[in-house]
Amino acid sequence: MKIRSFDVYILDLPTIRPHQLAMHTIVSQSIVVGCVTDEEGREGWSEVATIGGASYGESTPEAIKANIDTYIAPLVIGKDPIHFDKIMYEVSKQVRGNNFAKTVVEAAIIDLAARSKDVAAFELFGGQIHTSLPIAWTLASGETAQDIEEAKEFLHQKRHNIFKLKIGKGDPFKNVEHVRQIKQAVGDEARITVDVNQAWDEDTANYCIAALEDGGVSMVEQPLPTWNYEGMARLTSRFKVPIMADEAANSIQDVFQISKHRAGNCIALKPCKAGGLTQTKKVAGIAEAAGIGLYGGTMIESSLGTAICAQLYATIPEMKFGTEIFGPLLFKDDLTLEPIKFENFEVVIPNGPGFGVEIDREKVKHYARSL
């Protein structure tokens, strides 16, 4: 069984409401979907999501597709998908960087390899530890009363009891007060975290984190720019509230340096940042060895990408800070025939061949820019 072809599609999925970050507001999410086919016609599917073109990182959907089509796909044709780690090692020797593109390729090959053995993909990564994981939701209306009402409704539904607020855009001091009022309203029923998306300098961070810590916030994500390792280390040392590295924690080398210098005491995992699922497991191992907590991050993936992340995160012993792979709840539509399940404040890990979901080809065709 050898790989015969690798196809790549760019899709634009509409969201149910604007999702605001410091650098971009998502109203339609661009994702890249990969499909690998073997000589017997079996398929494996994958996805990575991007945020605002080039506003979040260096990988745009157009560049991801072009680099796969031109440079990576030719390297995997004719290879046995069960040897996915060897395949990606050989790819890495000829293609530098391009972690998002590598993730599309590796994940599709893993899906195909697992389906060829009629097992869930998590069986190829040591087996399933968790059948479900805690799931956070982002409150994003910008109106304190509305966010409080939404949080209380989701608590009542038992859908979420962890809420994140994006506070990197606008007046940081007003944003902090907004967060404090929400935490006061939900009390001990929910954990509140914030994501700054690199928007503060160190002086602002010192003032605002002190106020957030006093208000009961349970985590502060990437308050400083990615380059400021020393500033992140000072914040981590100064405050009791955990400081998370996200945009700064990409490669295994990045995470080693963060661990060595304590430039954060928790790490957001995202397969696309590390260059695939195998590399993400290595990131998790480095963090675990350093005593750094783990968080299952999201790039706002559809049901397909969420299944990929969920199955990988299910193989990691301790996800101390839970996950935020809520992407399917933010979109108006699914790319899979079956939805991802969310219940009892957790995301249920898909269980079936490959990543446990079946692609809806009609939806791919409908949302694709071109076929």
Side-chain angles (χ1 to χ4, degrees), residues 46-346:
S46 64
E47 173 198 339
V48 298
T50 64
I51 294 176
S55 64
Y56 182 89
E58 297 177 357
S59 293
T60 65
E62 298 81 9
I64 294 168
K65 175 173 168 51
N67 285 325
I68 294 173
D69 288 345
T70 306
Y71 301 108
I72 303 179
L75 300 176
V76 307
I77 303 301
K79 302 295 176 64
D80 186 342
I82 199 64
H83 300 147
F84 58 88
D85 204 3
K86 179 183 178 182
I87 292 171
M88 296 313 297
Y89 172 67
E90 292 174 348
V91 167
S92 72
K93 291 193 294 185
Q94 299 189 55
V95 179
R96 295 177 62 85
N98 288 284
N99 283 354
F100 280 58
K102 289 175 180 175
T103 301
V104 174
V105 173
E106 186 202 50
I109 294 173
I110 289 170
D111 190 44
L112 175 59
R115 289 177 184 276
S116 73
K117 301 295 183 182
D118 196 30
V119 299
F122 52 61
E123 300 293 354
L124 305 181
F125 287 89
Q128 184 179 27
I129 296 174
H130 311 284
T131 57
S132 63
L133 287 165
I135 184 75
W137 174 253
T138 297
L139 300 170
S141 76
E143 298 294 329
T144 303
Q146 187 173 334
D147 282 351
I148 290 171
E149 182 180 358
E150 184 173 299
K152 288 185 175 180
E153 177 59 26
F154 285 155
L155 285 167
H156 175 72
Q157 295 177 13
K158 293 188 176 181
R159 203 178 90 171
H160 304 281
N161 59 3
I162 308 169
F163 299 103
K164 174 190 279 193
L165 289 109
K166 297 280 190 176
I167 60 171
K169 187 174 182 178
D171 186 323
F173 308 109
K174 290 181 180 178
N175 289 340
V176 166
E177 183 56 31
H178 171 66
V179 174
R180 285 169 59 98
Q181 289 181 38
I182 293 171
K183 175 57 181 172
Q184 184 177 20
V186 299
D188 294 334
E189 289 188 73
R191 289 199 289 120
I192 300 294
T193 71
V194 299
D195 188 358
V196 187
N197 289 125
Q198 312 178 58
W200 291 345
D201 58 28
E202 195 169 346
D203 289 337
T204 303
N206 276 319
Y207 178 88
C208 290
I209 294 174
L212 291 167
E213 184 174 82
D214 178 70
V217 165
S218 63
M219 192 226 336
V220 178
E221 183 174 347
Q222 199 65 55
L224 302 181
T226 57
W227 56 264
N228 198 349
Y229 283 88
E230 292 183 357
M232 288 283 285
R234 286 189 288 269
L235 296 178
T236 303
S237 176
R238 176 176 179 181
F239 295 105
K240 294 180 181 179
V241 63
I243 306 297
M244 175 181 289
D246 178 12
E247 292 96 319
N250 296 303
S251 67
I252 56 175
Q253 292 81 12
D254 290 338
V255 175
F256 175 78
Q257 291 299 324
I258 290 168
S259 302
K260 179 179 179 180
H261 299 291
R262 308 303 289 183
N265 42 22
C266 53
I267 296 289
L269 300 175
K270 295 175 184 175
C272 60
K273 293 193 304 179
L277 284 73
T278 303
Q279 293 298 308
T280 302
K281 283 282 283 192
K282 293 179 183 178
V283 166
I286 293 169
E288 182 181 3
I292 290 178
L294 295 172
Y295 182 68
T298 183
M299 288 292 289
I300 319 296
E301 294 90 357
S302 78
S303 49
L304 173 59
T306 298
I308 293 169
C309 292
Q311 282 218 8
L312 181 67
Y313 298 160
T315 70
I316 296 171
E318 184 179 7
M319 300 295 290
K320 182 177 180 180
F321 294 91
T323 76
E324 60 167 338
I325 47 176
F326 62 81
L329 298 172
L330 190 63
F331 292 116
K332 293 181 179 179
D333 208 349
D334 280 324
L335 289 184
T336 54
L337 296 175
E338 55 285 292
I340 301 295
K341 295 181 180 178
F342 299 88
E343 57 190 30
N344 296 319
F345 305 119
E346 299 201 329

